[in-house]
Amino acid sequence: MLYNLIHNTGMQDGEMTLQLIVLSVLLIIEIMLMIMAPLSIVLIFTIACVVLAFVGAAIAWATGVAYHPGFELLYMTITAFIGVFFRFQASVRTQNITKELFSRYVDSDILDQAMTIEAVNPDGKDWRTDKAAVLFADLRSFTTLSEKIEPDELLQLLNKYLSMADECIHRYGGRLDKFIGDCVMATWSLSEAMEGKGANVDERAVEEDILYRACCAALDIVHECGPLNERLEAEYNKSLRFGIGIHYGEVVSGNVGSEKHRNRTVIGDTVNVASRLESIAPSGSVYITEQVMEPLKGKAHYVQADSKLHLKGREKTVSVYALQSLAGLNRPPLVYDMTTGESFTPDYIRPKDNYVLYILGCRGSRPVEGTRYAEFGGQTSCYIVKTGKHALVVDCGSGLYDAAPYLADCEKIDVVLTHVHYDHIIGILCWGVFPNTADLTIYGSFEKWFGRKSFEDFYAAPFWPVQPRFGNLVETPKRGTPVRLGDGFFVSFFNSPHPDDTCIVKVNAGDSSICFMADCEHATGMPFDVIEGSDILIYDGMFKDEEYPKYAGFGHSTWQEGCRLAERAHVGRLIITHHDPKNSDKELMSRETEAKKMFANTSFARAGDVIRLGGKKMD
């Protein structure tokens, strides 16, 4: 350029075009090198081009050839921008590939922390105390199944179960801590759940939320084993189910390991208890501790697995409960086998040889509500005995309001009303409980009191705006005559010492027998021969012996009399029901403890109890 100014010469179009062509070729070569070659080669090529450009400029100055060094400046600028762009894209692409790769081995939240500089703490003090719900889920019978399946197929099968468990955990905001063989460990951190919620956040509400989500994940894991087991049962006559334990308490959260290899995890007594809990949980069961159960009272349905369980390696005893269902979670409740302690999803029960008893309401006289009644429930009498798509409903108290999930798939529903007092029929007001596609029959003492038409009018205006669906109304058959309902169900009716033509109902479900005495008074007319030898006796224990004289003639009995009767009649299991509305959970628990001393196999009915009955059909 300086030469052109001194000699008053100009760059010819051909010379400029030639230089542009050369620079374009160099740029194309550099871009290809940036994509394909290491950074060092790109730098050497760029420096070489710049050096040659200035050498060419010097030669042009000496020979008088028109030459414009500004093209070299443009070349270097364009090259710098292109280099930065391509290297940035390559870096982002490499980071994404790395993150995607390692996310298969490390939980995404932990990976995000690990990929930041702040997460690297060389002094080893990267830890904090926290509270967390800790879940362990371990596959049962996997070792025995591994003997029948080729290793590659076994690995694929294991990955399907673990992937399903991982999905359930993340569905409810849990953090997958690690896989331990065929076991899964996950956590729900209280401090992380409270982040960003402000200073006025209710810690107890957040605590309840993370425990609810942990239990939701556990129930989903159990239920979603069903579809995975279909092929296993067809090919190997075997199924895999998880045993799950959940505990809540203080933990230490941080990096654990050596200087070269670390694992972001939680440690402490809470983790140990959850792990021990999982190890004793039978197949298909979700065991929770009192620390999990207490905040969820009113939302969780459960049965007490063992009043005080001694866990290996721990001095203190732990109260353990088998979780069955959660309010608001659209999942059928787990079926808890009182004999083996195992739990089952409803679809796992084979309808040809199994019957299940569901207790949905066990309060007497009137419904009650509140935290004082969360353990045993406040709904009035309602029981369901079910096999396959056939359900037998005994009494329609307010417990019937919760029956929809149990009856939704039924093709045949038989309803037996022991009598027509309000607390035993109020649930019929919930007209949407019985599916329209089911064959519905209701047995009760209709004609004696008001006839069929009056019974229907009882649920119409001005008493109620929408009339429920009744199906077939059948007058209760002659006392003592068995009624065959199909699918192994036989029902017999007997007079009960209770006002207004009340029935004792005995149900034979296959080889099992259940005697319902929800409203009766022990002083007179007790049909001992009907009760004798029953597998389950459900007995009216509304009062205790000290209270009874005050209420004699009301048509109710005492739990002590129930224990004495069960002993004399050699029944297999006694369930005390028709709890007095004024009796809180604390009072009923105290009575239950005393009752077990009189008749060991006694329990007080809880709304949500599920009892699996074995037995072949008789027809």
Side-chain angles (χ1 to χ4, degrees), residues 402-456:
D402 298 322
Y406 307 88
L407 304 178
D409 64 340
C410 287
E411 297 175 354
K412 181 175 171 58
I413 300 174
D414 293 298
V415 178
V416 173
L417 300 177
T418 59
H419 57 306
V420 292
H421 286 166
Y422 284 122
D423 55 329
H424 291 258
I425 63 173
I426 192 174
I428 297 178
L429 296 177
C430 186
W431 62 88
V433 167
F434 301 119
N436 291 328
T437 55
D439 179 12
L440 176 63
T441 302
I442 301 178
Y443 296 85
S445 298
F446 308 125
E447 301 294 339
K448 178 176 180 180
W449 295 108
F450 33 54
R452 176 187 175 119
K453 186 176 186 301
S454 296
F455 182 73
E456 292 175 346

Side-chain angles (χ1 to χ4, degrees), residues 77-91:
T77 302
I78 295 174
T79 300
F81 276 108
I82 292 175
V84 171
F85 175 77
F86 274 98
R87 284 301 159 183
F88 175 75
Q89 290 296 320
S91 175

Side-chain angles (χ1 to χ4, degrees), residues 193-311:
M194 293 184 66
E195 288 178 1
K197 293 187 179 295
N200 297 324
V201 62
D202 185 353
E203 182 175 319
R204 288 180 298 179
V206 178
E207 183 177 83
E208 179 183 316
D209 178 62
I210 65 172
L211 291 173
Y212 182 82
R213 289 189 281 114
C215 290
C216 284
L219 290 176
D220 271 15
I221 289 172
V222 175
H223 281 281
E224 292 187 19
C225 279
L228 292 175
N229 280 332
E230 290 180 2
R231 184 175 68 88
L232 275 180
E233 292 189 347
E235 295 184 14
Y236 302 100
N237 194 28
K238 193 85 175 171
S239 64
L240 291 177
R241 289 173 291 154
F242 284 93
I244 301 176
I246 305 175
H247 185 46
Y248 177 72
E250 290 188 353
V251 296
V252 176
S253 173
N255 290 325
V256 177
S258 66
E259 290 297 323
K260 293 183 178 181
H261 302 286
R262 293 189 176 187
N263 180 29
R264 185 79 180 181
T265 187
V266 296
I267 59 174
D269 183 63
T270 299
V271 179
N272 297 336
V273 172
S275 177
R276 295 287 190 269
L277 212 59
E278 169 269 306
S279 68
I280 64 170
S283 178
S285 297
V286 180
Y287 273 12
I288 61 175
T289 59
E290 191 172 8
Q291 288 77 4
V292 177
M293 180 270 292
E294 281 293 338
L296 295 179
K297 272 193 171 180
K299 286 188 175 182
H301 293 154
Y302 49 84
V303 294
Q304 192 160 11
D306 200 316
S307 56
K308 292 293 181 182
L309 193 64
H310 290 270
L311 298 178

Side-chain angles (χ1 to χ4, degrees), residues 7-71:
H7 295 281
N8 194 26
T9 62
M11 179 176 284
Q12 302 299 315
D13 291 340
E15 295 171 339
M16 181 179 291
T17 301
L18 178 62
Q19 291 186 46
L20 286 173
I21 292 173
V22 172
L23 288 175
S24 298
V25 171
L26 292 176
L27 281 172
I28 293 172
I29 295 174
E30 178 126 358
I31 291 172
M32 293 179 64
L33 288 174
M34 286 179 180
I35 296 174
M36 303 173 61
L39 182 61
S40 58
I41 300 298
V42 177
L43 291 174
I44 292 172
F45 178 78
T46 303
I47 293 171
C49 289
V50 174
V51 171
L52 289 174
F54 281 99
V55 170
I59 295 172
W61 175 278
T63 58
V65 176
Y67 185 77
H68 203 319
F71 283 111

Side-chain angles (χ1 to χ4, degrees), residues 5 8 85 145 164 170 183 197 200 231 333 358 361 390 405 605:
L5 291 173
N8 194 26
F85 175 77
L145 182 64
M164 177 273 291
H170 282 90
C183 178
K197 293 187 179 295
N200 297 324
R231 184 175 68 88
Y358 302 93
H390 186 178

Side-chain angles (χ1 to χ4, degrees), residues 15 345 585:
E15 295 171 339
T345 54
D585 290 340

